[in-house]
Structures are given as structure tokens and as C-alpha cells.
Amino acid sequence: MDTTLDTPAKTFIEVTEVWVPDGDRLKLAEGNYGGLEEFAAASRRESFAMGEGLPGKAWAEERPVVLKGFDGSYFKRTEAATAAGLTSAVAVPVFDGKTLKAVLVVLCGDDDERTGAIEVWHEQDGLLMLDDGYYGAAKHFEWVSQHTHFPRGQGLPGGVWSSETPILMRDLGSGYRFIRADSAAKAGLTTGLGLPIPVPGGKTFVLTLLSAKGTPIARRFEIWDARSARNGAANEARLIDGICAREGALWDPDNAGNERVVKAWQGAIGRVLGTGVPLVEGGKPGLANGYDSMVALPIHLDGELSHVVAWYL
Amino acid sequence: MQKLVVIGAGMASGRLLEQLFEANPDAYEVTLFNAEPRGNYNRIMLSPVLSGEKSYAEIVTHDDDWYAGNKVTCRFGERVVSVDRERKVVVGEKGEVPYDKLVFGTGSSAFIIPCPGHDLPGVVAFRDLEDTTAMTEASGTPGGRAVVIGGGLLGLEAAAALRMRGMDVTVLHLSGHLMERQLDEAAGYLLQKDLEKRGITVLTKASTKMIQGDGKVESVLLEDGTVLPADIVVMAVGIRPQVQLAKESGLEMGRAIVVDAQMRTSDPSVFAVGECVEFEGNLFGLVAPLYDQAKVLAKTLLDEEDTFKVKQLSTKLKVTGCDLFSAGDFAEGEGREDIVFRDPARGVYKRLVLEGDKLVGAVFYGDTADSNWFFGLIRDGEDVSDMRDTLIFGPSFQGGATADPLSAVAALPPEAEICGCNGVCKGDIVAAIEGGATDLAAIKATTKASASCGTCTGLVEQVLSVTLGDEFVIPTVQPICGCCDLTHEDVRRLIKSKELKSQPAVWQELGWKTVNGCHVCRPAVNFYLLADWPLDYQDDPQSRFVNERNHANIQKDGTYSVMPRMWGGMTDANELRAIADAADKYGAAVKVTGGQRIDLLGVKKEDLPAIWSDLNDAGMVSGHAYSKGLRTVKTCVGSDWCRFGTQDSTGLGIKLEKRLWGSWTPHKVKLAVSGCPRNCAEATCKDVGIICVDSGYQIGVGGAAGMDVKEVERLVDVRTEEEAIDYTVAFIQLYREHAKYLDRPYKWLAKVGLDWVKEQVGDPATRAALIERFDISQSVYQKDPWADHVATRRRLYAPIADLTLEAAE
């Protein structure tokens, strides 16, 4: 992987924050606001009751929520967001069974250059349909996605749905001839991370993050398998797949069970294993391979923390 | 510096070069030939490349810089034409290269089934990047259809990947379950279920007859006549060593290039490594032994000592979300014991096979934690007797964990029907419990579940327990046998609500503690499956009692009885002559039975097919005197002959017998029709007894005249013969669908109550549906087993040896 690609660029996601339940309200646990100090300050002052604002809505409705355009919406920090140039947001609730562990919120700014996609897919009549998504400048891809559905096992969303596992896809668009892939290629989307979003009541939601080279969502993606069916009784996770702009492939080439393993509380991924809550870090030393920021999102399935997905920029 | 020429840039030769350069970079000047126009890449990762989960760049093991850095002369995209061992030169398409040492690493090629159409464009193997690219191209057509021939590792990885690419995929597999060399039936079942969940169609026992198409692949025709449209056909049925060049070079060959433990061929300057090698009769297809060979060969080439040994292998499948592991030998055999753990809720199956004090095989599905530890125990042949009791729980077992008997019910989705009578789903019951109905009576009152026939009571109690936890205490029940924790009734209900259509499905989803059940549960489960899913499930003769297997009753002296069917007890002179001839020919005693039939006793097992054939020739079929099914319909002479007869009782008896024969039931079923209330056919002590009266027919059910003596209870009075037949058929089908295996109708009636049965068969729509389901089942099962055995299994009845013959002197 060419490190010259790693030059500073506009990023697709500008703000990532984690809201955790404290009594009957969601409070800010941590966030990475880049340079948007005023928006950060406004956020620190905020908290959300169930159903209130974007995080509260994801909590109350027990589903991921995409919000495009804050004016006149239920979004509570519109003024500060507008001042910071943020125009859209996605809230992803993290449930462990019926218990809300946290809500992860990502915020994006709109212009004609930022390309990428954050999509929420839901199951309807045996097919995955686009719930909503934020695409930045990838308008054609947005239109195509709105008119696409996935049966079980097909494509990134269908693959995630049927395997109940996060999946990391490479070379989006290369070799794919069907319309969405073709459009993905034209939009410059290269890497796709898909993950199941379990919610109470058994409805199916799949979240996909599609990253483009010019305005990447991340330059390093990791999928950690923490299921007891893979690790036994030990509270640990193994790095089953990953790709890094600096380090290249992050998986065991001999497929021989020699993956990297972290135990609970060991480093950032270990912290997510220990707490079961997403983690956002920015501007701290000690992140993997000198990246500036990272997000790690746990997935709780069948009564256990089953996977952690992480992305770094 | 010596000259080393390597033919083939695959994973084995790649690893060889790595080891060689690492140990002594200056030992050899290397020339590497490869027919593919590229260097070494991680071939076993092609399936994730096909699915899009890896990029080709990621799986390149040696790039141009690596070859340049190690001063390897690369002759990629160039075939080797011949090897001249006399002159020690390799002749490539673009010229000769001399060698001091030569290594064959020519690998293997896909085995292509030589069926008609195998050479059509669109038929591909799955061996290299070219194949992968061809499949990726084919997946570009919207709505494209792929047929994958071969349900082994490679075929399934290709199938899952093509599905990810958006194709409609069908896997054809010749054997009865997927990956039969690596998995047992139970794990094969789970794997199939997993793949089907991805929208892949799996056809087992599917034999390809030909591939059809005009100029390119269009469809695949199976032996059974099925036609599967296809835009691409992937052949993944196996590999064969690619050894033509070595053969032409005059090296010693077996099935592949024969090497010694130092990887040396019959020529001391020539070596071979990888899938083109045969060592002590073994061929190699998995990567682990290839790497071992590469290590040994590197040392041999550096004049160091090392020896290649064949080791135990384990298998993993690279399909995201499918966790399976298999190692060692898991065939059933004498002196072998199984330890089985199943968790239906998590889709987990674990089986360990022990021989004496050693673990010899392991198959895991859904939970592969600790698989390396188990693999170590197998590979090292460790004595496991001390930890035998807890072995299945793995190395970190702390004591106490056992399978949860409630997990099968916990795994049911909310829409699964618990009470068939009133159509109550699990979700309804859970909602009622959450609404305050916390015991069985309250559930009955609020949802009507278990309020009718009551056979689902056990399941309702389990739903209570799953929902309320230890606040609800389940009354103790009698499980079907030691293999599981569920009652017969629970198993029956769950087979329906979970749509379980095979024995492996039942064993897994209902948490059986044994591999294949036992002599108690197998006949019952076999019956439940064939009664509930006549079109999907195939009867398993191995799950039947010996008399049913042999279609004859074994007698105390080891001979058999043979009883032809006589419809309604009527016969004629021709049939009697044939019976008399058969009695003479096979030395049988003749007995008239209580059911108005003629029994031929004392027939030797080896004569069975012949006597059946003779009786078939006279137009007679099996009387099923041995089966859990319809036995006889006894009749009196009725209005045709008798002065008191009110209806044609013989005619009705014949019609009933012709309608009902051949159907399997929970226990034997005897019928009788009497022409008047004087009841000469003794109809009032039969399972179904019909008394004809002037106004029509009185149908009684649930009589007995064996260990228990019981008079029938009146089911219904009807006016016409047609109605009498309809009610009888509907009653038999209701009994088939609900009764516990080995409960005669009177025992079943005592449990469900006659009122409920009356309600069911009395409702016109329910009655019609019961009759329809019975007829569907009869379309499969109403056939003469004698004729079938004579035609297909005659040789099984012949003795293995005739020990009465004396040696000639």
C-alpha cells in the first residue's frame, strides 16, 4: 500500500461522538470533533432524553437513524452544527439484547468534493431495502442505491445479513458489472465495511460505510471476532480481517489461527471488549500505526459481544 | 554457485524458495518457470478474492521486487516443453536452461467430469486467477445463474462467493450431505442450512448427466431429469496431480511423482514438492503438508538432514460466518465411542470420536473455539481417559456446564406454531405470559393453546419456563428416550413448527445427545417425519424394526411368515391355488388368521423374494401383517348373501382396505365392517369398526381386543358409504398426525379425548384437509414392498455362505 496516498485530505466524517445512557438521559462519553471546538463545547453542554434529538430518537425507535438537513428538524444542536458546516448525521444505537449500551453519532459536512456513503439497510418482505443513507457528492450512487435491493447472501449488505458477521470488501466496483457496483466504481468508492446492527425485537438492520480514496471514511479498517465460539471462555478478540493504507493486509495469510489477539482491557480494542461500549479517540499518541483518530464499535449478538469493528484515520 | 531450476510457482515451491534464501541466499542461482503469467500468490485465498472480501494485491505472496531481490530469473507465462535429464537441461518454450538440481512443483489441475458438454465455454474450474476472473465476469450479468458441481470445500467457497457477487447459485453434490469427506451428516446438515440461509440452493444426491448449450453453457441436466438454467458451471469435484511433464521425463510415477522422505524423485538430482507428489501412497491437497514438504526440501537442497512425515490434517472452510472444523477419523466403528454436544439455539454441534483412551476424530460446527487444542490431542495421540467426562467442554472447563434442555424451545422464532389445533404461535404465548398469564391454566384461558388435544402441553410449559425463568417449575415429563429431553408429543410438535424434514435436522435442532439416535427414538422419529413430510422426507429402513425391514414376521425358529393381502377377506380359486402352490413349493404351514387371512408359516429368509414373486404373479400384494400400518379389514358377507345384512359390508371393507393399505401409522391398525348389529365381523373391538344399519353406518373408534379389551366409542353415524369412507380416512390421518409412536388409537383417544377428535373430523373443511393429506402420503407410500424388494433388493436375502455343503474329495 502506497503511503503517498496517506496525505492529508478532506475526510468524509468530520465528527464522531459516543452518547451513553445515564439514568433516563444520554450523556456525552467522548467525541472526536477535529477542529470544531465550538460544536464540541455545545455538545458537552447537551444531553438527550429518550426520543429527544437525534441520539434520543435512535434510542426510542431502537434503530439506526439517518438525518439529512438539520433546519426545522428534531436535531437539537442545529445552530452550532450549521456554524461548523455540518449538514448531516447518522446515529447508530448499540444494544446488548434489550439494553442500550450507547449511541454512536457521526456528523458530516456537505460540499461537492466529499464522496463516500453511510447507509442503513433494513429488511422488508425478505429483501434488504435502503432505509436511508448519506452520500455526500455521490449523487448518482445515492440514486442507484435507492433503487437497489439485496436478497440474502448478495452483495455487501446481503452478505452481512445472512452471515450475521461484519464484512470488509475491497475493490468495490472492480469486476462488478451490476449497476450499483458500476456506479460505486464511478464514484471512486474503494472499500466497504458492512456490519449488522442488532436491535431489540429482532428487526434486521445493516450499516455500511463505503470509503473513497480522496475523502476517506478511514484508511485502516479492522474486524475483530470476539465470539466465545471462536475464543472459548477467554474474553478476548482476534483480528480476523483488516486492511491498512500503511501496513497492507491485516489478516493471517496462512489461515492457520495465527491472528493478532487482544484481551479485554488491553489497548483500545480491549477497552471496547471490557466495556461493551463504542470508543472514539482522536489526537492521542499510541493509536495503531500512527493514525490520528479511531472509532471502535462493538456488536452484541446472541447475548455476547460478538465483534468489534474499528476504523482509523 | 549451483543452478536450481524450479518448475511451477505455486505455494509449495514459493515456500521452498523462501526457506532456501533465508537459510543460504547464495547457495543457488534460481530459475523459476510458471505457466501462469505471474508469480506466487496465496491460492487458497482465491475464494475471498472472488467474493470481494480480499483483493488480489493482498494475496500476492511474492511480488516482482521479491524475485528481483533474490535474483530469481523468472520465466513466467512460459511452459516447459520437456526435461532432458541426460543433459540436465529444462527446455522451455523460449529456450533451454541447464540445472544442477531440478524441482517439480507443477501442482494439480481440476478434475473435470467428462460428461457431455463439459468443454462448452462457460464451464470453468476453480484453480487459478484466470478461473476467478472468468467467474467474476460471469457474475456481471444481472440475474446471472451459476451451477456449482461439487459440494466440497472449494465448491462451497465458490458458491458463497458467487452469491455475494449477486448470482443465483445452485450447488450439486453427488453424496447425501455436503463435504462428506470432512463432515458427518449432522455437521453437513448445519452447513447446508447455513448456505441456504444465504439464498444458495443445495441439491444433494444430484448426479449431472450433461451440460447443455448452443455454443456456450445454457443449462445442466441431471440424471433425474431436472434441468437447471446456468450462465456458468463451476466444476469443483476434485483435483488430480499435474504430472505429464514428469512422466515424459521418465521419472518413477505412481498416481503422482514418487518421492522419498527427502522429497527426492527416482533421479537423485530431481526433486518434487506439493500436490504433484506421491509419498508412501499419499497424495496431498491441503496446504499444511505442502509447507512441511517445502521445509524438508529446502534442507535437502542445502545438504542438511530432515524427513517428511505424514501428519493428521484439519479442515476449515473460508466462508464468512460459517465456522466449522474437522480433523481425524470420525467414521463409526467397533470400539469407537462418541461424545456429542448440541446447542440448537446457537446452531452448535460438536462431536468427538474416541477409540480406547484416545481421541481419534472431531467435528465441530458453529463453535470452533479450542479446535486447535482438540487437534493437538488427535495429532499427538494423547491419553484422554482422565478428562473423558468433561472433554467436550474444552481445556478451560471449570465444571457444571451442561446443555440446556430448553434451548430448542428458546430457539423457536415468535411465529412458530405451538398449538396446531388453535393456531397459537410462540409469540402469542409469550405475549400472554408478559400480560400476566403465568401458568398453564391461564395460558389455556387466554390463548387457547393446549386447550384442545393437549399434545402441545409440554411445549407450552417450556415456553412458560423460558419466559418466566425459575418462577415457573415444569412438571417432570417422560422424555422419548435417553437421547433427548423432549417427550414424543414435543418432538412431534417441533418437527411441524420448526419444519424439520430430515433426521439430522431433528437430531440437531432438538438437541439430541447422541449422533444418530437409538433403537427407541429412531423408529419414532422416522415415523413422525414420514407422516408429517411425505413428499420431503425419505423413509429410512434402517430406522425400522426388523419385521418391517424384512417385510415379514420372524418366527421363533428363525423362519418367516408370509401373508398375502385378501381385500376385505375375499379371495378366489386362483388365489387359493397360488397360495397352495407356494405352500408346497416352499414347505410352508398354512394357517387361517383371526383377521380372515391365510398365513404361510415356516418360510426361509432366502426364499422370501421367490415366494413374494410367485404371489405377486398371482396378483397378490403384501398383507403388511408385520407393519405399524393397516393390517386387515375384516368383514361379514353382508347384504349380498346374508338374510340379515343391511348394507354391502364386504364391498365397503374392500373399498376401505384398497384406500388405506400401505399407509404407515403410529401402531398397527385393524378395521372391521359388520353388515348388521349382530356384528359377525366383531367390529366393536377394532381400531375402527363400522356397523351397518338400515339408516346407514355407525362408525366406532378406539376398540381393542389384546392386552386390553375395549369396546369402540361412537365417532359418528353417517348415511352413505362415501361418508363412511371419508370419516374413516380422516380419523386415520388425524391419528397419524397426532398420536405418539406405538400408541394404539384407543390409547391416543384417552389422551386427546373423543370430543376433540369428533370436532376435528366433524368439521367439513378439516375433514377434507385430512383426507387430502392422507392421499398425498399414499401417493408415496401405497406401494407393494414385496414387488419393490423383489425388483431391487433380492440379493440381500441370499445367505452369505451355504454351510451345509461338504467339500468334494
Side-chain angles (χ1 to χ4, degrees), chain A residues 151-155 159 162-163 168-171 176-178 227-230 232 241 243 249 251 253-255, chain B residues 15 42 45 51-55 58 137 140 163-167 197-198 291 318 320-321 323 366-369:
Chain A
R152 276 186 173 276
Q154 284 193 356
S162 61
S163 63
L168 185 56
M169 285 183 91
R170 280 75 156 171
D171 295 348
Y176 290 73
R177 292 289 179 74
F178 57 109
R227 293 169 307 144
S228 56
R230 265 303 281 277
D241 197 9
I243 188 150
W251 42 274
D254 288 342
N255 195 38
Chain B
R15 182 56 66 96
N42 191 342
M45 295 308 285
S51 73
E53 289 170 87
K54 298 279 182 285
S55 63
E58 281 175 273
E137 292 281 322
R163 181 69 188 161
M164 278 277 270
R165 288 267 173 194
M167 296 194 88
K197 207 174 84 180
R198 289 155 203 263
Y291 284 169
K318 289 180 297 304
T320 301
D323 295 304
D367 183 344
T368 53

Side-chain angles (χ1 to χ4, degrees), chain A residues 2 203 232 252:
Chain A
D2 194 346
K203 279 191 186 163
D252 170 21

Side-chain angles (χ1 to χ4, degrees), chain B residues 333-388:
Chain B
E334 197 144 327
R336 287 197 171 172
E337 271 184 280
D338 291 303
I339 302 175
V340 175
F341 174 89
R342 299 184 204 250
D343 183 343
R346 288 196 301 142
V348 169
Y349 169 75
K350 293 171 129 187
R351 175 174 164 215
L352 302 176
V353 183
L354 283 90
E355 195 168 67
D357 293 330
K358 288 180 181 164
L359 183 65
V360 295
V363 185
F364 298 155
Y365 197 94
D367 183 344
T368 53
D370 308 322
S371 53
N372 287 342
W373 181 74
F374 286 108
F375 182 50
L377 293 180
I378 297 172
R379 196 187 46 217
D380 305 338
E382 254 179 70
D383 184 337
V384 296
S385 52
D386 284 350
M387 49 182 167
R388 193 191 178 289

Side-chain angles (χ1 to χ4, degrees), chain A residues 13-15 28 34 47 53 55 76 84 96 108 110 113 153 188 214 247 274 279 288:
Chain A
I13 296 173
E14 295 205 53
V15 170
L28 185 67
S47 75
K76 279 182 77 186
D96 178 3
C108 307
D110 226 351
E113 290 166 33
E247 224 182 315
L279 167 150

Side-chain angles (χ1 to χ4, degrees), chain B residues 720-775:
Chain B
T720 65
E721 188 182 75
E722 195 186 358
E723 286 174 293
I725 294 172
D726 278 1
Y727 271 90
T728 306
V729 171
F731 173 79
I732 298 287
Q733 179 64 12
L734 194 66
Y735 168 59
R736 296 179 76 237
E737 290 180 1
H738 288 267
K740 174 187 154 191
Y741 189 65
L742 298 186
D743 263 359
R744 286 288 286 270
Y746 75 95
K747 288 200 174 170
W748 167 62
L749 283 167
K751 290 178 184 169
V752 300
L754 183 64
D755 288 343
W756 175 75
V757 174
K758 278 181 173 172
E759 218 173 88
Q760 299 293 309
V761 299
D763 174 55
T766 310
R767 184 166 68 246
L770 285 164
I771 293 169
E772 191 189 347
R773 291 200 291 276
F774 181 79
D775 289 340

Side-chain angles (χ1 to χ4, degrees), chain A residues 38-232:
Chain A
E38 278 172 34
F39 184 72
S43 300
R44 280 186 206 107
R45 288 193 297 271
E46 197 57 82
S47 75
F48 300 94
M50 189 187 259
E52 192 185 6
L54 180 66
K57 190 175 166 73
W59 182 14
E61 296 186 0
E62 300 182 335
R63 45 166 293 151
V65 179
V66 179
L67 179 62
K68 290 181 285 191
F70 300 143
D71 273 344
S73 76
Y74 51 81
F75 195 77
K76 279 182 77 186
R77 295 168 281 167
T78 305
E79 208 173 299
T82 309
L86 300 169
T87 57
S88 302
V90 181
V92 181
V94 177
F95 281 98
D96 178 3
K98 291 179 181 172
T99 312
L100 183 82
K101 304 290 284 187
V103 178
L104 179 81
V105 177
V106 298
L107 295 116
C108 307
D110 226 351
D111 61 34
D112 293 340
E113 290 166 33
R114 288 177 223 258
T115 294
I118 305 172
E119 306 172 303
V120 175
W121 298 83
H122 73 280
E123 189 260 342
Q124 189 184 315
D125 302 329
L127 292 170
L128 274 190
M129 319 292 278
L130 185 70
D131 202 70
D132 205 349
Y134 174 68
Y135 296 86
K139 298 295 179 208
H140 179 258
F141 184 70
E142 177 173 10
W143 185 86
V144 168
S145 301
Q146 282 163 349
H147 294 86
T148 303
H149 58 254
F150 289 95
R152 276 186 173 276
Q154 284 193 356
L156 177 60
V160 170
W161 178 23
S162 61
S163 63
E164 295 184 327
T165 305
I167 291 178
L168 185 56
M169 285 183 91
R170 280 75 156 171
D171 295 348
L172 293 177
S174 84
Y176 290 73
R177 292 289 179 74
F178 57 109
I179 299 163
R180 186 169 131 97
D182 188 44
S183 178
K186 284 181 183 144
L189 299 172
T190 54
T191 308
L193 175 67
L195 49 149
I197 304 295
V199 294
K203 279 191 186 163
T204 299
F205 289 99
V206 172
L207 177 75
T208 58
L209 306 177
L210 311 180
S211 187
K213 257 184 193 160
T215 51
I217 289 177
R219 289 206 180 84
R220 177 186 176 100
F221 290 94
E222 296 173 346
I223 298 178
W224 295 80
D225 189 342
R227 293 169 307 144
S228 56
R230 265 303 281 277
N231 304 291

